[in-house]
Amino acid sequence: MLSQITRAARSGLALNTKRPFGLAKHIRPFATVDANTPRVQPTPPKTKATPKSHDRATFTIRDGPVFSGKSFGAASNISGEAVFTTSLVGYPESLTDPSYRGQILVFTQPLIGNYGIPSTARDEHGLFRHFESPNLQAAGVVVADVAEQYSHWTAVKSLGEWCAEEGVPAVSGVDTRAIVTYLREQGSSLARITIGEEYDADQDEAFIDPEQIDLVRKVSTKAPFHVSSATGDYHVAVIDCGVKENILRSLVSRGASVTAFPYDYPIHKVAHHFDGVFISNGPGDPIHCQDTVYHLRRLMESSQLPIMGICLGHQLLALAAGARTIKLKYGNRAHNIPALDRTTGRCHITSQNHGYAVDSNTLPSEWKEYFVNLNDHSNEGLIHQSRPIFGTQFHPEAKGGPMDSSYLFDMYLENVSRYKKSQAIFQPEREHRPSPLLVDLLAKERVGVVPTTGMENLLRMGGAGEEAARAASVA
């Protein structure tokens, strides 16, 4: 496994280019071998910071209403898909969730920002304590009222200061009730945030549709990275489609060291070196991830490994099995959505963030529906009839949200444990822990992921931005 992974990392196969961005910092040809090497974090890419703006701001829904408010974030103009969340807390976690890449997030909670933004402190695993990725992922933020003065013992800055630092525009003073009513009736819509300019109806054609963009490519690591666990001897391969920090934490804290691969990595070629495969969450339309679907299909044909998928990972697992996915009218984004476990009859309150779902009517006969949404009756999970493979549309790791379904990680690792014990009978010489050399060679967090700047920054790009926007809109 070491030779295959390091060859791929050195040659840049994960990127299909000569050299992944920033990889030279993490691959050392004469590295010393030390199983207890501390996690040295690579320098993160710089964001497009701007001064905090308090100018007039306009939130425009394509072919819909126009809302005027006040800017409290970056002085940049962007477009994206307008979606809403009904979560009451957890805005730092939501805004750093890679699944929100390319989206303008509208909060239904009337007041946002009252407990500020916490520090970038890391836990004992080297993972962010308070964020789900290194940067703010949403293209823009829309709230009814923002708290410029915050109060919390973990806070180090305001929401507005953070948005400005990350180059993300934010709007307050708009009627979010009217916005959400429109989005519920018309469905998720393309929208634009304009700072300091009057609305121009002639620019409606400049809206960019993120569904036409492979967003997973933007948020996935560009080379493998490793997170070690000090409490167990499992080794899980994670397909990083935009993995949240708390998914990694949920695995590592349960005794599974993790090696994360780019979303399009041919995982079936190295899977036999691992005790399980995990497919992460991520943004956008799953149909863009055709390479991932192909590799998963090959994996299930050639291996009996335990597999678990969450959110986009669940959808990709379903596509690999032969099912289809559908786009929901306005998606499910909240911390209080009921999901029924069809195998036990129990209902769990779940945290969700998705605009697509699996069409359960298209599941092959060897699969069955695992969970169902009790609000809109959409699919929330699938499970194989005889093999240790399952996926959930909701987020059992939450962060934020309820932890009712976190036991699913325990269930997955029980499958991993059984598989590992069965393999020990046939391969008694098999290594029980990741190679120390592998641990030392690989990066310790996602590599080459560029921060969001919205779908397009029309203020910086000028006429070129308009042309690019029109081309993407027509595509």
Side-chain angles (χ1 to χ4, degrees):
M1 175 184 66
L2 175 63
S3 61
Q4 289 172 289
I5 297 175
T6 54
R7 275 203 306 270
R10 289 190 176 118
S11 63
L13 291 180
L15 256 181
N16 295 321
T17 60
K18 293 182 179 180
R19 175 72 64 179
F21 172 80
L23 185 59
K25 296 180 182 179
H26 311 298
I27 302 298
R28 301 188 297 280
F30 301 104
T32 56
V33 179
D34 184 358
N36 297 315
T37 302
R39 298 191 73 210
V40 179
Q41 308 300 336
T43 303
K46 292 184 179 180
T47 57
K48 304 279 188 178
T50 74
K52 185 177 175 183
S53 168
H54 291 287
D55 293 338
R56 167 193 168 90
T58 304
F59 175 68
T60 307
I61 299 177
R62 186 177 189 179
D63 299 324
V66 178
F67 299 88
S68 296
K70 178 182 176 183
S71 168
F72 67 92
S76 25
N77 298 346
I78 58 91
S79 70
E81 181 186 26
V83 300
F84 65 90
T85 176
T86 63
S87 55
L88 303 182
V89 294
Y91 55 85
E93 295 91 340
S94 293
L95 291 172
T96 53
D97 182 348
S99 296
Y100 278 117
R101 178 64 75 100
Q103 295 179 327
I104 300 173
L105 187 56
V106 181
F107 288 88
T108 62
Q109 170 72 356
L111 178 65
I112 295 293
N114 54 306
Y115 57 90
I117 300 298
S119 72
T120 55
R122 297 177 183 264
D123 63 12
E124 65 274 20
H125 308 298
L127 300 169
F128 290 105
R129 289 185 182 277
H130 310 295
F131 301 129
E132 293 307 299
S133 71
N135 296 100
L136 203 160
Q137 298 287 342
V141 181
V142 178
V143 302
D145 190 14
V146 64
E148 298 283 1
Q149 301 297 322
Y150 57 86
S151 177
H152 197 272
W153 66 274
T154 64
V156 296
K157 64 187 72 171
S158 70
L159 175 58
E161 291 169 337
W162 185 44
C163 288
E165 290 175 6
E166 295 283 325
V168 174
V171 181
S172 66
V174 295
D175 187 351
T176 53
R177 296 170 300 177
I179 295 172
V180 171
T181 298
Y182 181 88
L183 295 178
R184 282 182 61 91
E185 293 175 351
Q186 302 298 320
S188 297
S189 306
L190 300 183
R192 187 175 66 225
I193 293 177
T194 306
I195 307 299
E197 298 178 8
E198 295 292 337
Y199 168 69
D200 184 353
D202 293 336
Q203 293 187 4
D204 272 357
E205 295 181 1
F207 291 87
I208 296 176
D209 186 356
E211 290 184 17
Q212 306 301 321
I213 301 171
D214 186 358
L215 295 171
V216 174
R217 182 180 296 276
K218 295 179 178 293
V219 299
S220 175
T221 185
K222 304 306 182 286
F225 68 92
H226 184 84
V227 184
S228 294
S229 173
T231 60
D233 61 359
Y234 306 129
H235 192 190
V236 171
V238 170
I239 299 175
D240 174 21
C241 300
V243 64
K244 292 172 61 179
E245 294 280 285
N246 205 40
I247 287 180
L248 298 176
R249 182 181 295 106
S250 296
L251 294 169
V252 174
S253 64
R254 287 171 167 83
S257 293
V258 165
T259 298
F261 293 86
Y263 79 105
D264 55 355
Y265 191 92
I267 195 66
H268 58 284
K269 295 183 178 181
V270 298
H272 57 284
H273 294 290
F274 294 88
D275 304 314
V277 171
F278 191 101
I279 318 155
S280 84
N281 64 292
D285 189 342
I287 203 68
H288 288 299
C289 302
Q290 290 300 313
D291 288 343
T292 311
V293 172
Y294 171 75
H295 297 149
L296 287 173
R297 186 177 297 121
R298 290 288 305 275
L299 173 66
M300 290 191 288
E301 291 171 351
S302 60
S303 172
Q304 294 296 313
L305 273 172
I307 303 174
M308 179 180 176
I310 286 180
C311 198
L312 178 66
H314 158 72
Q315 297 164 12
L316 297 176
L317 188 60
L319 290 174
R324 293 196 297 267
T325 57
I326 57 175
K327 181 169 176 59
L328 301 175
K329 184 176 181 180
Y330 49 81
N332 289 306
R333 298 172 181 87
H335 294 166
N336 61 345
I337 297 179
L340 177 68
D341 183 341
R342 286 192 173 276
T343 64
T344 65
R346 294 181 178 177
C347 177
H348 305 282
I349 302 302
T350 63
S351 176
Q352 300 195 17
N353 170 20
H354 62 97
Y356 292 83
V358 173
D359 182 353
S360 58
N361 294 322
T362 64
L363 287 174
S365 59
E366 62 268 27
W367 297 81
K368 64 180 179 180
E369 189 170 53
Y370 194 179
F371 292 90
V372 63
N373 187 311
L374 291 181
N375 286 342
D376 63 10
H377 305 292
S378 60
N379 174 263
E380 292 288 352
L382 59 81
I383 187 168
H384 198 277
Q385 299 272 20
S386 60
R387 295 174 58 182
I389 307 175
F390 70 95
T392 66
Q393 185 62 71
F394 55 84
H395 287 265
E397 85 287 350
K399 196 76 173 173
M403 302 295 291
D404 294 30
S405 54
S406 61
Y407 71 90
L408 291 170
F409 284 99
D410 299 319
M411 174 178 157
Y412 171 65
L413 288 171
E414 286 171 5
N415 292 339
V416 167
S417 178
R418 282 192 291 269
Y419 174 81
K420 189 177 181 70
K421 289 177 181 177
S422 69
Q423 292 302 298
I425 299 174
F426 304 104
Q427 304 177 50
E429 73 286 353
R430 187 169 182 257
E431 287 289 337
H432 291 289
R433 291 187 61 83
S435 161
L437 182 58
L438 172 69
V439 173
D440 192 61
L441 285 175
L442 293 181
K444 302 303 182 285
E445 71 174 15
R446 61 199 91 198
V447 178
V449 178
V450 179
T452 184
T453 56
M455 292 313 301
E456 292 288 347
N457 190 316
L458 302 179
L459 182 63
R460 290 198 304 270
M461 296 180 65
E466 296 291 334
E467 291 300 321
R470 290 190 183 94
S473 180
V474 172

mmCIF file of all heavy atoms in Angstrom, residues 95 118 123 154 184 196 245 276 360 419 424 434:
data_model
loop_
_atom_site.group_PDB
_atom_site.id
_atom_site.type_symbol
_atom_site.label_atom_id
_atom_site.label_comp_id
_atom_site.label_asym_id
_atom_site.label_seq_id
_atom_site.Cartn_x
_atom_site.Cartn_y
_atom_site.Cartn_z
ATOM 1 N N LEU A 95 -21.307 27.183 8.410
ATOM 2 C CA LEU A 95 -20.643 27.995 7.399
ATOM 3 C C LEU A 95 -19.296 27.414 6.966
ATOM 4 O O LEU A 95 -18.786 27.769 5.896
ATOM 5 C CB LEU A 95 -20.460 29.426 7.910
ATOM 6 C CG LEU A 95 -21.763 30.226 8.059
ATOM 7 C CD1 LEU A 95 -21.510 31.553 8.757
ATOM 8 C CD2 LEU A 95 -22.414 30.453 6.699
ATOM 9 N N PRO A 118 -15.451 31.431 17.254
ATOM 10 C CA PRO A 118 -14.381 30.927 18.122
ATOM 11 C C PRO A 118 -13.031 30.897 17.416
ATOM 12 O O PRO A 118 -12.912 31.193 16.220
ATOM 13 C CB PRO A 118 -14.858 29.510 18.475
ATOM 14 C CG PRO A 118 -15.699 29.110 17.309
ATOM 15 C CD PRO A 118 -16.355 30.363 16.807
ATOM 16 N N ASP A 123 -7.921 19.998 18.529
ATOM 17 C CA ASP A 123 -8.046 19.033 19.615
ATOM 18 C C ASP A 123 -6.839 18.101 19.648
ATOM 19 O O ASP A 123 -5.839 18.319 18.952
ATOM 20 C CB ASP A 123 -9.361 18.255 19.483
ATOM 21 C CG ASP A 123 -9.421 17.421 18.203
ATOM 22 O OD1 ASP A 123 -8.373 17.258 17.536
ATOM 23 O OD2 ASP A 123 -10.510 16.927 17.870
ATOM 24 N N THR A 154 -15.541 31.421 24.202
ATOM 25 C CA THR A 154 -14.668 30.915 23.144
ATOM 26 C C THR A 154 -14.474 31.910 22.002
ATOM 27 O O THR A 154 -13.633 31.687 21.124
ATOM 28 C CB THR A 154 -15.245 29.618 22.542
ATOM 29 O OG1 THR A 154 -16.503 29.901 21.915
ATOM 30 C CG2 THR A 154 -15.435 28.545 23.607
ATOM 31 N N ARG A 184 -39.467 28.223 -0.434
ATOM 32 C CA ARG A 184 -40.292 27.035 -0.198
ATOM 33 C C ARG A 184 -41.320 26.841 -1.316
ATOM 34 O O ARG A 184 -41.631 25.710 -1.701
ATOM 35 C CB ARG A 184 -41.006 27.140 1.147
ATOM 36 C CG ARG A 184 -40.129 26.838 2.355
ATOM 37 C CD ARG A 184 -40.924 26.923 3.634
ATOM 38 N NE ARG A 184 -42.010 25.943 3.645
ATOM 39 C CZ ARG A 184 -41.898 24.708 4.125
ATOM 40 N NH1 ARG A 184 -40.756 24.296 4.647
ATOM 41 N NH2 ARG A 184 -42.923 23.876 4.113
ATOM 42 N N GLY A 196 -23.005 47.754 -2.396
ATOM 43 C CA GLY A 196 -22.755 49.142 -2.770
ATOM 44 C C GLY A 196 -23.190 49.515 -4.159
ATOM 45 O O GLY A 196 -22.725 50.518 -4.699
ATOM 46 N N GLU A 245 -14.718 17.877 9.646
ATOM 47 C CA GLU A 245 -13.767 17.524 10.700
ATOM 48 C C GLU A 245 -14.380 16.542 11.704
ATOM 49 O O GLU A 245 -13.700 15.641 12.195
ATOM 50 C CB GLU A 245 -13.300 18.783 11.440
ATOM 51 C CG GLU A 245 -12.493 19.740 10.598
ATOM 52 C CD GLU A 245 -11.041 19.323 10.439
ATOM 53 O OE1 GLU A 245 -10.272 19.478 11.400
ATOM 54 O OE2 GLU A 245 -10.680 18.857 9.344
ATOM 55 N N GLY A 276 -11.654 -0.909 6.243
ATOM 56 C CA GLY A 276 -12.961 -0.399 5.854
ATOM 57 C C GLY A 276 -12.807 0.812 4.965
ATOM 58 O O GLY A 276 -11.734 1.421 4.891
ATOM 59 N N SER A 360 -35.617 5.915 -3.639
ATOM 60 C CA SER A 360 -35.656 4.568 -3.059
ATOM 61 C C SER A 360 -36.369 3.565 -3.955
ATOM 62 O O SER A 360 -36.146 2.352 -3.837
ATOM 63 C CB SER A 360 -36.314 4.601 -1.678
ATOM 64 O OG SER A 360 -37.627 5.126 -1.760
ATOM 65 N N TYR A 419 -14.679 -7.696 10.232
ATOM 66 C CA TYR A 419 -13.928 -7.927 9.003
ATOM 67 C C TYR A 419 -12.448 -8.132 9.316
ATOM 68 O O TYR A 419 -11.801 -9.040 8.769
ATOM 69 C CB TYR A 419 -14.104 -6.751 8.045
ATOM 70 C CG TYR A 419 -13.248 -6.843 6.807
ATOM 71 C CD1 TYR A 419 -13.645 -7.622 5.728
ATOM 72 C CD2 TYR A 419 -12.040 -6.148 6.712
ATOM 73 C CE1 TYR A 419 -12.863 -7.719 4.582
ATOM 74 C CE2 TYR A 419 -11.254 -6.235 5.581
ATOM 75 C CZ TYR A 419 -11.660 -7.026 4.525
ATOM 76 O OH TYR A 419 -10.881 -7.122 3.408
ATOM 77 N N ALA A 424 -7.706 -11.800 9.739
ATOM 78 C CA ALA A 424 -6.568 -12.293 10.517
ATOM 79 C C ALA A 424 -6.418 -13.802 10.396
ATOM 80 O O ALA A 424 -5.316 -14.346 10.526
ATOM 81 C CB ALA A 424 -6.725 -11.880 11.976
ATOM 82 N N PRO A 434 -1.332 1.221 10.719
ATOM 83 C CA PRO A 434 -0.741 1.839 9.537
ATOM 84 C C PRO A 434 0.779 1.862 9.624
ATOM 85 O O PRO A 434 1.355 1.971 10.710
ATOM 86 C CB PRO A 434 -1.316 3.261 9.568
ATOM 87 C CG PRO A 434 -2.537 3.171 10.401
ATOM 88 C CD PRO A 434 -2.284 2.105 11.405
#
